[in-house]
Amino acid sequence: MKFAKIPMATINRLSIYVRTLQELLEGDVDVISSERLAKQCGVNPAQIRKDLAYFGEFGVRGVGYHVADLVNQIKEILGLNRTWNLAMVGLGNIGSSMVRHGNFVKHGYIFTAAFDVDPQKVGKKLPNGLIVNHVDELEDVVRERDVHIGVIATPASAAQSVANQLILAGINGILNFAPVQIQVPDCCHVENVDFTIKLDCIAYHLSSGV
């Protein structure tokens, strides 16, 4: 399913909606109004209706949304009606924590490969059963294990080289935790996660009183 010119903010909110809806589903909620859903997601009802309208018609006027149906529909939109295999490159504090975090599996993201250059880490078995491979083996292992998304948690100095290896291995989606902007071809989508940028936003609001 492909849609053109969808604002990234809308995609981000869809992720919030589907997680909220899944919690409601687990709580045996069958139908929910846009007003109640909006309140639980921290947005207004009009925003939810506008976001969903990009993708078609949802819900029943005067009734609301059938929770199970809306979960499935949003999952299809986001490509979450399947599992995604991940490769972690860099097993420092961030990388190690992510690989052993059960929340990724819950949402359909499975770490199927892990890489490092540290001799004390290469060859070790991780809590999820993965054996850490040397980064020199990245291209072969990524292809062998059908990895879809690469996660970079290396020092900044190694990030671009790792990104190049991932792209050569056929990876077109990268989540980058290294504190540097990596350069990739147009076919590859990168999401950069820099916690200090988020802290800058908080600092701005605290300092300006906004």
Side-chain angles (χ1 to χ4, degrees), residues 173-203:
I174 297 175
L175 181 64
N176 176 39
F177 283 90
V180 63
Q181 300 293 311
I182 57 177
Q183 303 301 311
V184 299
D186 291 340
C187 63
C188 184
H189 181 80
V190 176
E191 288 289 332
N192 295 294
V193 182
D194 187 335
F195 297 120
T196 61
I197 292 176
K198 299 300 183 183
L199 289 169
D200 289 349
C201 293
I202 294 173

Side-chain angles (χ1 to χ4, degrees), residues 4-207:
K5 298 181 180 179
I6 307 300
M8 187 53 63
T10 292
I11 302 303
N12 291 338
R13 284 191 294 269
L14 287 180
S15 295
I16 295 171
Y17 302 159
V18 75
R19 282 158 176 74
T20 301
L21 288 162
Q22 284 179 307
E23 290 177 1
L24 291 166
L25 198 58
E26 291 168 5
D28 295 325
V29 176
D30 296 323
V31 178
I32 189 169
S33 66
S34 57
E35 288 76 15
R36 182 182 171 190
L37 180 58
K39 184 176 181 180
Q40 294 200 215
C41 293
V43 299
N44 62 64
Q47 184 67 68
I48 288 182
R49 290 191 288 268
K50 180 179 179 182
D51 288 337
L52 294 177
Y54 282 110
F55 307 97
E57 296 184 5
F58 301 86
V60 179
R61 186 180 297 275
V63 176
Y65 303 105
H66 290 282
V67 175
D69 290 344
L70 191 54
V71 165
N72 291 333
Q73 289 163 330
I74 295 178
K75 280 188 171 184
E76 184 177 359
I77 290 167
L78 293 176
L80 302 181
N81 53 347
R82 53 165 289 179
T83 58
W84 294 91
N85 294 337
L86 311 183
M88 173 61 70
V89 188
L91 289 163
N93 292 333
I94 291 176
S96 297
S97 297
M98 289 183 65
V99 168
R100 63 173 178 259
H101 201 301
N103 198 44
F104 290 96
V105 175
K106 178 181 177 181
H107 292 290
Y109 299 104
I110 314 295
F111 282 102
T112 59
F115 304 90
D116 208 289
V117 295
D118 186 344
Q120 295 185 356
K121 296 176 182 176
V122 174
K124 294 295 179 63
K125 188 174 184 178
L126 299 175
N128 66 351
L130 282 180
I131 303 296
V132 180
N133 291 94
H134 193 281
V135 73
D136 288 346
E137 302 174 274
L138 187 147
E139 291 179 43
D140 289 338
V141 174
V142 160
R143 291 193 178 99
E144 176 186 303
R145 300 184 188 174
D146 193 27
V147 172
H148 309 115
I149 299 172
V151 183
I152 299 176
T154 66
S157 59
Q160 185 63 57
S161 175
V162 168
N164 295 344
Q165 286 180 272
L166 289 168
I167 292 165
L168 285 173
I171 297 299
N172 288 324
I174 297 175
L175 181 64
N176 176 39
F177 283 90
V180 63
Q181 300 293 311
I182 57 177
Q183 303 301 311
V184 299
D186 291 340
C187 63
C188 184
H189 181 80
V190 176
E191 288 289 332
N192 295 294
V193 182
D194 187 335
F195 297 120
T196 61
I197 292 176
K198 299 300 183 183
L199 289 169
D200 289 349
C201 293
I202 294 173
Y204 165 73
H205 286 287
L206 292 176
S207 299

